Amino acid sequence: MKLNLRQIEVFRAIMLSGSISGASKLLFVSQPAVSRLIAYTEQRLGLMLFERIKGRLYPTPEAKRLFAEVSTLYQIVQRVNEVADNLAENRVGQLRLSCSPSLGQSLMPRAIAAFRREFPEVRLVLQTLIPSVMLQSLLTQQVELGVAYLSMDHPSFASQSLYENHFVAVLPEGHPLAGRAQVSAAELAEQPLIGYSADIPFAMLVRDIFAGLPAEPEARIEVQQAHVACAMVQAGAGVALVDEMSVRGPIWSGVVTVPVAETVSAPISVYHLELEPLSRLAREFIRVLRELET
């Protein structure tokens, strides 16, 4: 055999991570060991799998073609392992899910609790992932469903919209604006704002809220995730604009949410592979998500 399972594993790790160092971290082995094995693999195959340009690895067309077959192999191995686990533990099924980090603290615990009341014997695996990693997990079928904010456009994905998910102002209890029926962008601009890094989608939505003002207010504190912004408000560090789903639940005691007059939303959708039929459990979980009181 020109390729054994270890060579395939190392090749796949390099393709997924894009580097020797990334592959060594994924496999918990040294970088020289990865370099030696991939060089040996290229020699055995008689193919150059990667071009080395200015210290970076770039997969050749032959490597990309080989990776498609390797991905299929890994999907089969993963399915065999899952079936074996289910048989060993007498489970009736397993559902692998992923979600955005903020949804892992708000929507998903409620949905999983409701699902388990109907299907107590099913094993659920939840991964909280940033969008780029979630996309890869869906493509490689490490998870069957992904629940995320906004849009993850990809030709291989189908999506189903779940919730409109409007933005609200998150204020400390006792704040002068806390008793209002709604609050305007102009009023919020005068407060010590907790904002978001400019390169994340939430920051773009917050800019939409302040679009009607002469100038966008400058955030006093900058974070990257909605649940971190809520924690900042809870600690008394300022006020924040957060989607209503992230602030739901008992963990945010001591804060008040007020609707924002300028309507902006961060839609939540569920994603799955378009050409891969959904399992019965996945369809049931989507039903539970839709029926959940929001």
Side-chain angles (χ1 to χ4, degrees):
M1 292 177 63
K2 291 186 176 182
L3 279 179
N4 59 36
L5 290 177
R6 185 56 176 171
Q7 290 169 285
I8 291 172
E9 185 178 34
V10 169
F11 168 69
R12 177 176 180 270
I14 295 174
M15 291 294 290
L16 289 176
S17 65
S19 67
I20 296 291
S21 61
S24 71
K25 292 176 183 177
L26 283 175
L27 300 175
F28 301 100
V29 297
S30 68
Q31 293 185 35
V34 173
S35 296
R36 284 194 299 271
L37 189 54
I38 201 64
Y40 174 72
T41 301
E42 289 179 323
Q43 179 185 359
R44 288 283 294 164
L45 292 174
L47 290 173
M48 185 171 65
L49 298 175
F50 300 96
E51 292 186 16
R52 294 153 180 86
I53 304 173
K54 296 182 179 180
R56 293 192 61 185
L57 290 184
Y58 293 86
T60 63
E62 291 80 8
K64 293 177 181 178
R65 177 68 183 89
L66 187 62
F67 182 61
E69 298 299 323
V70 167
S71 297
T72 301
L73 172 63
Y74 263 77
Q75 292 166 15
I76 294 170
V77 171
Q78 183 179 18
R79 288 173 184 169
V80 170
N81 283 328
E82 289 180 356
V83 170
D85 286 344
N86 290 337
L87 290 172
E89 298 183 25
N90 295 316
R91 290 193 296 264
V92 298
Q94 175 173 269
L95 181 60
R96 302 182 68 88
L97 308 164
S98 61
C99 70
S100 306
S102 293
L103 295 179
Q105 293 193 345
S106 53
L107 172 66
M108 294 302 279
R110 295 165 53 215
I112 287 174
F115 183 85
R116 276 191 48 76
R117 285 193 287 270
E118 293 189 47
F119 305 96
E121 298 301 319
V122 173
R123 181 172 185 259
L124 295 165
V125 178
L126 175 65
Q127 300 178 8
T128 52
L129 305 171
I130 61 173
S132 59
V133 180
M134 184 187 299
L135 184 149
Q136 188 64 42
S137 293
L138 285 164
L139 288 174
T140 57
Q141 295 185 293
Q142 296 175 55
V143 297
E144 188 171 3
L145 297 177
V147 183
Y149 297 106
L150 307 174
S151 174
M152 289 201 308
D153 292 328
H154 192 282
S156 297
F157 287 168
S159 66
Q160 300 181 40
S161 178
L162 295 174
Y163 315 111
E164 193 169 0
N165 195 33
H166 294 296
F167 265 72
V168 295
V170 184
L171 312 164
E173 281 184 347
H175 190 279
L177 298 175
R180 300 280 296 278
Q182 65 177 17
V183 62
S184 69
E187 291 169 315
L188 290 170
E190 298 173 355
Q191 303 297 319
L193 285 174
I194 299 161
Y196 301 97
S197 302
D199 59 341
I200 65 172
F202 263 42
M204 304 174 198
L205 294 173
V206 169
R207 282 199 292 272
D208 289 343
I209 291 174
F210 294 112
L213 301 183
E216 182 182 344
E218 183 177 353
R220 307 292 177 83
I221 299 171
E222 187 178 282
V223 299
Q224 290 190 312
Q225 296 174 336
H227 65 274
V228 178
C230 290
M232 291 287 179
V233 177
Q234 195 174 46
V239 303
L241 285 158
V242 175
D243 68 291
E244 57 188 340
M245 197 62 71
S246 289
V247 79
R248 286 185 179 274
I251 59 174
W252 304 121
S253 59
V255 303
V256 174
T257 62
V258 179
V260 179
E262 290 78 6
T263 302
V264 172
S265 60
I268 296 176
S269 298
V270 59
Y271 296 87
H272 53 86
L273 289 178
E274 185 169 26
L275 299 180
E276 186 74 18
L278 284 176
S279 67
R280 177 182 63 88
L281 294 176
R283 293 195 300 272
E284 292 291 349
F285 192 82
I286 293 173
R287 175 186 59 78
V288 168
L289 282 169
R290 291 192 179 284
E291 293 176 354
L292 203 63
E293 292 185 9
T294 57

